[in-house]
Amino acid sequence: MRHFSYQRAASVEDAVRAGPGAAFLAGGTSLVDLMKLEVLNPSRLVDVSRLDLRGIEARPDGLRIGACATNSEVAAHPEVKRRFPVLSEALLSGASPQLRNVATVAGNLMQRTRCAYYRDLATACNKREPGSGCAALEGWTRMHAILGGSERCIALHPSDMCVAMAALQAVIHVRGPNGDRDIPFGDFHLLPGDHPEREFALEPGELVLSVFIPFSAAGMRSRYVKVRDRASYAFALASCAAGLEIASGKIRAAQLALGGVGTKPWRVPEAEQALQGQSPERVAFQRAAEIAVRGAQTRRDNAFKMELARRTAVRALTLAAEGA
Ligand code: SF4
């Protein structure tokens, strides 16, 4: 049995004071699972679930979502459904109703990979045990990434919510021992590179307080498409969050991110730029989808993801063009 201490934080300041080395506990749907498997072994748990971090607040320029708002609360919020249908759809496509009722926004941001080797203590895994190797490289890779991998890790990022937030260009607000700061969504998740054990751009002791999503015309006309092995409670083989602002028959602005294929939520600014000024038609969507998977590296079991990701992107853009 592994021992750990448990502390219920009385305030945000109290939680931040817990300092480096403490793991923050909210919904626990990911962290507790991984502790049971002994993949994550924090010596201190700081429970932040009862802090006042659950509000969803409309501001003149965007929506601020508290870190402890549950996935269900965010998905059902009228302003989320109206302003960011892609986010509501992405959340509802993930996990199960029971999990969504307790899983939080911050927990979803920090959800760990579903790589089977990461969860199996008997196999080599650089993410779990730096320097030990990567069993996936010569193993079963159907659920692994084709974009953003390195020679040390090709683990897939599993979140749906994060794909929508990447496309919407959210900003994450955190507080730590050195004060508050904002992290652009695209910088929050790190590529594995030489250090797959480092997954987030958080400094030791920093706590996520909220996520800000700016209002945009493309966000209001946005859709999420997820392709998976079964209709519910399954991770994406490929997914796409797409938003389009259309004026006078042309695309004025586009938002595009892929899921189920990258080591992090895979926003593709080059594909977004390629869509600008184009007619919202299949030929432009196919070109953007082609750009979106540029640089992909497939393996024996996941080569099918290239074409699947392209088709998923075309489908999401087509739905966005039709209107949310
Ligand atoms: Fe570990 Fe990453 Fe290799 Fe999976 S892909 S075994 S998480 S190093």
Side-chain angles (χ1 to χ4, degrees):
M1 179 187 289
R2 291 185 189 262
H3 293 271
F4 60 87
S5 66
Y6 171 88
Q7 168 197 344
R8 187 176 292 170
S11 64
V12 169
E13 286 63 36
D14 192 29
V16 170
R17 259 197 306 274
F24 297 122
L25 174 71
T29 54
S30 188
L31 177 60
V32 174
D33 271 1
L34 291 169
M35 287 177 68
K36 286 181 190 167
L37 294 170
E38 300 191 350
V39 170
L40 295 180
N41 301 295
S43 58
R44 278 186 298 155
L45 281 189
V46 178
D47 187 342
V48 297
S49 63
R50 289 167 178 80
L51 298 181
D52 184 19
L53 294 174
R54 221 164 149 161
I56 302 174
E57 175 197 357
R59 298 190 168 188
D61 54 345
L63 210 59
R64 185 167 293 283
I65 303 173
C68 290
T70 68
N71 288 188
S72 296
E73 288 167 344
V74 179
H77 195 279
E79 278 297 282
V80 172
K81 289 164 79 171
R82 188 169 80 88
R83 297 283 194 165
F84 314 116
V86 66
L87 178 57
S88 183
E89 288 182 340
L91 283 163
L92 292 174
S93 77
S96 66
Q98 292 87 347
L99 285 168
R100 292 195 294 267
N101 285 344
V102 287
T104 63
V105 165
N108 201 326
L109 283 177
M110 299 186 65
Q111 116 173 234
R112 302 314 211 277
T113 181
R114 306 302 297 193
C115 172
Y117 305 104
Y118 173 69
R119 288 162 185 261
D120 179 357
L121 300 188
T123 60
C125 173
N126 287 322
K127 191 182 282 296
R128 175 172 27 82
E129 195 179 335
S132 63
C134 170
L137 293 176
E138 301 299 328
W140 183 73
T141 54
R142 186 167 184 269
M143 296 302 289
H144 285 74
I146 61 172
L147 289 159
S150 74
E151 289 178 0
R152 291 179 185 257
C153 180
I154 53 169
L156 186 70
H157 194 276
S159 170
D160 295 296
M161 180 198 82
C162 290
V163 181
M165 286 188 174
L168 293 165
Q169 296 163 56
V171 176
I172 298 165
H173 186 67
V174 305
R175 183 172 299 168
N178 297 320
D180 285 27
R181 67 183 179 118
D182 289 327
I183 306 174
F185 201 89
D187 296 339
F188 185 79
H189 299 95
L190 305 179
L191 292 171
D194 288 337
H195 292 283
E197 75 279 7
R198 285 205 66 220
E199 300 183 275
F200 313 107
L202 288 172
E203 298 298 333
E206 281 187 324
L207 173 68
V208 175
L209 298 186
S210 63
V211 177
F212 178 77
I213 307 179
F215 293 144
S216 64
M220 290 186 79
R221 195 182 189 126
S222 60
R223 298 296 301 270
Y224 189 71
V225 173
K226 177 176 179 176
V227 181
R228 48 189 158 170
D229 280 328
R230 55 175 186 258
S232 72
Y233 201 37
F235 292 92
L237 292 166
S239 70
C240 180
L244 294 174
E245 179 184 356
I246 298 173
S248 306
K250 299 286 184 191
I251 298 169
R252 183 178 282 171
Q255 299 172 333
L256 189 76
L258 298 179
V261 289
T263 53
K264 61 184 273 184
W266 204 257
R267 182 178 163 231
V268 199
E270 300 81 6
E272 294 171 347
Q273 283 158 19
L275 285 163
Q276 279 176 28
Q278 303 297 312
S279 299
E281 292 168 359
R282 189 171 183 82
V283 62
F285 301 158
Q286 285 174 324
R287 182 155 171 266
E290 201 62 51
I291 294 170
V293 296
R294 252 186 214 160
Q297 288 192 309
T298 61
R299 293 175 181 271
R300 185 192 60 199
D301 306 319
N302 63 15
F304 72 96
K305 285 193 176 194
M306 277 285 276
E307 183 58 19
L308 190 62
R310 280 192 288 247
R311 292 184 189 205
T312 306
V314 171
R315 178 73 182 144
L317 286 162
T318 303
L319 290 174
E322 289 171 0

